[in-house]
């Protein structure tokens, strides 16, 4: 086919207009969320003392951190879905959850504690945390990748990694309401390892499926 | 250069809001620039220049299918060149795996050689054959016979809407086949 013929064909198809990437991403995440929520209620459930826990600022901090991660990763991934986008000027968004966590660790350090530091860090749910967060992430990660595939990310592995952060942030938000370990030290250790795992899966999958 | 960029941005804005003549003009206008860039890129990578038209068509298809990622408030040229760069890298990577990558052969195709006539593209045409018959017929009717959507619909006894859908699907799967080949 000659290029002029191709151009004519593309012009004939110009009435077909695609939805914005944000719309498709939101739709895909909404479709996948029930699956992650189902895994949550089938295997974990909300911790029984949630009403008292809510009065503990360190319990609430977990949600601030995980939601900050999810929201900033959504913003960055939408940005990266444009071909000319670079990460420059956007990475600070991803530092917000880390900053919250550091602030949390700092304030916990300044308060008198019943348990020694190592005990708080190791906690009692690390194994569940390392399994549950990646597991609940997977449907959301698949959805995020479907959403971003609709875009045109020129750095597919990076975009996939951000999709991993996004889905881990959402899954960790669910998990946080189950886990009885509220110390920011626990969150900084185990949530981070779980998130890193999902991010690596996202980068790997992204480098395969996000090429356009 | 700036004038050119502004013209492109203006044409693309009209195109997005439904002006298919502006879209046609824009694609015509960017093609020689893309062609020159593709030739430069292939030459720099030591690849035969006769593939440049395949790269150009690859870029045009990507531009078409990803145009919703262009922000109408941003200039068009950086977006276009980001897509073009991506497609060129993609093409080089794909061809890099093939056996004919031989350094000695490239010496003769390096720049300095007069820019030959545009070599015909073959990949889109080849992948066209692997499309479902209906999509292929419709694409061919519009591309090769330069029939309108309306005429094509009459020819195949389909509704215009069905022709549009088949055309769009055909272009999308053509692009997917080119990417995954």
């Amino acid at each position: 086919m000659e290029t002029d013929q191709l151009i004519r064909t593309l012009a004939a198809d110009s009435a077909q207009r695609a939805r914005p990437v944000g719309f498709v991403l939101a739709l895909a995440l909404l479709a996948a969320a029930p699956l992650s929520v189902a895994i949550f209620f089938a295997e974990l459930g909300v911790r029984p003392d949630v009403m008292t826990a809510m009065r503990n600022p360190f319990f609430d901090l977990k949600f601030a951190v995980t939601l900050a991660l999810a929201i900033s990763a959504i913003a960055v991934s939408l940005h990266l879905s444009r071909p000319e986008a670079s990460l420059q000027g956007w990475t600070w968004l991803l530092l917000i959850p880390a900053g919250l966590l550091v602030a949390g660790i700092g304030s916990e350090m300044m308060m008198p504690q019943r348990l020694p530091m190592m005990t708080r860090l190791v906690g009692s749910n690390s194994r569940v945390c390392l399994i549950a967060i990646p597991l609940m992430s997977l449907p959301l990660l698949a959805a995020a990748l479907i959403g971003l595939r609709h875009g045109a990310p020129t750095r597919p592995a990076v975009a996939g990694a951000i999709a991993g952060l996004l889905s881990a942030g959402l899954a960790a938000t669910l998990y946080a309401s189950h886990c009885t370990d509220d110390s920011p030290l626990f969150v900084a250790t185990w949530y981070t390892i779980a998130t890193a795992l999902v991010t690596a899966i996202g980068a790997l999958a992204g480098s395969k499926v996000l090429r356009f | 250069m700036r004038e050119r960029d502004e013209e492109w941005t203006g044409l693309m804005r009209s195109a997005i809001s439904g002006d298919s003549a502006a879209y046609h003009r824009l694609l015509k206008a960017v093609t020689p620039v893309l062609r020159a860039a593709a030739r430069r890129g292939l030459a720099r990578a030591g690849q035969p220049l006769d593939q440049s038209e395949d790269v150009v068509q690859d870029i045009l298809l990507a531009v078409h299918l990803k145009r919703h990622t262009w922000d109408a408030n941003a200039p068009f040229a950086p977006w276009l060149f980001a897509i073009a760069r991506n497609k060129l890298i993609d093409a080089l990577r794909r061809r890099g795996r093939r056996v004919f990558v031989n350094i000695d052969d490239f010496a003769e195709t390096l720049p300095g050689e007069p820019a030959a006539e545009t070599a015909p593209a073959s990949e889109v045409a080849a992948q066209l054959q692997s499309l479902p018959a209906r999509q292929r017929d419709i694409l061919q009717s519009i591309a090769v016979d330069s029939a309108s959507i309306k005429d094509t619909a009459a020819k195949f006894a389909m509704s215009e809407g069905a022709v549009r859908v088949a055309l769009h699907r055909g272009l999308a799967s053509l692009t997917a086949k080119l990417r995954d080949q």
Side-chain angles (χ1 to χ4, degrees):
Chain A
M1 191 188 291
E2 278 169 36
T3 301
D4 277 352
Q5 297 176 330
L6 179 67
I7 290 176
R8 186 164 58 232
T9 314
L10 298 181
D13 188 47
S14 71
Q16 290 283 342
R17 210 117 355 105
R19 301 266 191 190
V21 181
F23 178 85
V24 176
L25 179 65
L27 217 60
L29 286 175
L30 281 176
L35 206 52
S36 296
V37 172
I39 298 175
F40 175 75
F41 281 109
E43 301 295 329
L44 303 169
V46 177
R47 64 194 261 187
D49 65 338
V50 63
M51 294 316 270
T52 27
M54 277 198 283
R55 265 174 262 138
N56 174 4
F58 290 115
F59 177 74
D60 302 333
L61 179 72
K62 295 195 294 186
F63 296 93
V65 171
T66 56
L67 282 174
L69 176 65
I71 292 168
S72 53
I74 287 175
V76 174
S77 67
L78 285 179
H79 172 70
L80 284 183
S81 71
R82 292 169 43 194
E84 79 276 36
S86 82
L87 260 184
Q88 216 172 21
W90 287 76
T91 31
W92 65 269
L93 263 178
L94 298 172
L95 294 177
I96 295 175
L100 285 172
L101 209 44
V102 169
I105 291 173
S107 41
E108 197 197 42
M109 291 287 185
M110 286 190 282
M111 291 157 109
Q113 293 293 333
R114 284 181 296 120
L115 298 169
M117 207 169 106
M118 263 331 265
T119 314
R120 280 179 278 138
L121 187 149
V122 173
S124 48
N125 292 294
S126 56
R127 255 190 53 208
V128 185
C129 172
L130 287 185
I131 297 168
I133 291 182
L135 200 64
M136 292 192 291
S137 294
L138 289 180
L140 297 162
L141 176 60
L145 290 172
I146 290 171
L148 293 182
R149 236 179 107 85
H150 187 62
T154 37
R155 294 166 74 189
V158 179
I162 306 289
L165 287 177
L166 183 171
S167 58
L170 292 174
T173 307
L174 280 174
Y175 175 73
S177 68
H178 165 80
C179 184
T180 48
D181 290 300
D182 295 331
S183 167
L185 285 170
F186 181 91
V187 177
T189 311
W190 304 106
Y191 283 48
T192 305
I193 295 176
T195 301
L197 181 68
V198 181
T199 307
I201 297 172
L204 205 67
S207 69
K208 303 251 186 300
V209 304
L210 290 184
R211 288 176 46 229
F212 67 91
Chain B
M1 211 66 143
R2 237 193 93 208
E3 222 167 276
R4 181 199 76 182
D5 287 3
E6 276 169 18
E7 191 199 339
W8 287 0
T9 306
L11 283 172
M12 188 60 173
R13 281 205 192 110
S14 313
I16 293 287
S17 51
D19 182 347
S20 77
Y23 189 48
H24 195 246
R25 269 213 336 270
L26 174 67
L27 294 180
K28 284 282 235 190
V30 301
T31 295
V33 179
L34 294 178
R35 190 174 289 134
R39 295 177 73 89
R40 263 199 312 278
L42 286 169
R44 205 175 303 126
Q47 291 280 340
L49 297 186
D50 58 7
Q51 302 167 349
S52 63
E53 210 55 19
D54 280 324
V55 177
V56 169
Q57 297 194 357
D58 227 14
I59 299 171
L60 287 172
L61 276 165
V63 164
H64 180 67
L65 291 173
K66 295 299 181 185
R67 66 196 191 284
H68 60 279
T69 66
W70 176 63
D71 173 3
N73 297 313
F76 179 69
W79 180 89
L80 173 72
F81 293 142
I83 297 243
R85 198 178 312 122
N86 190 58
K87 279 291 157 189
L88 181 64
I89 291 169
D90 208 40
L92 289 173
R93 196 184 291 140
R94 233 182 312 131
R95 290 171 175 101
R97 283 200 211 103
R98 292 187 189 164
V99 230
F100 67 80
V101 179
N102 181 343
I103 303 269
D104 293 334
D105 297 342
F106 300 146
E108 291 153 42
T109 57
L110 285 177
E113 202 178 13
E117 268 294 286
T118 312
S122 57
E123 288 186 345
V124 169
Q127 295 295 340
L128 197 56
Q129 299 313 315
S130 64
L131 288 182
R134 187 33 70 92
Q135 288 178 11
R136 188 185 57 221
D137 291 347
I138 285 170
L139 265 164
Q140 244 151 9
S141 161
I142 290 168
V144 183
D145 312 336
S146 49
S148 65
I149 299 251
K150 203 170 155 208
D151 296 343
T152 307
K155 184 156 52 165
F156 297 114
M158 295 168 72
S159 72
E160 286 183 36
V163 170
R164 283 179 202 284
V165 169
L167 171 62
H168 189 71
R169 290 218 179 117
L171 288 171
S173 56
L174 204 55
T175 307
K177 283 175 194 295
L178 286 170
R179 180 186 57 222
D180 300 331
Q181 69 186 348

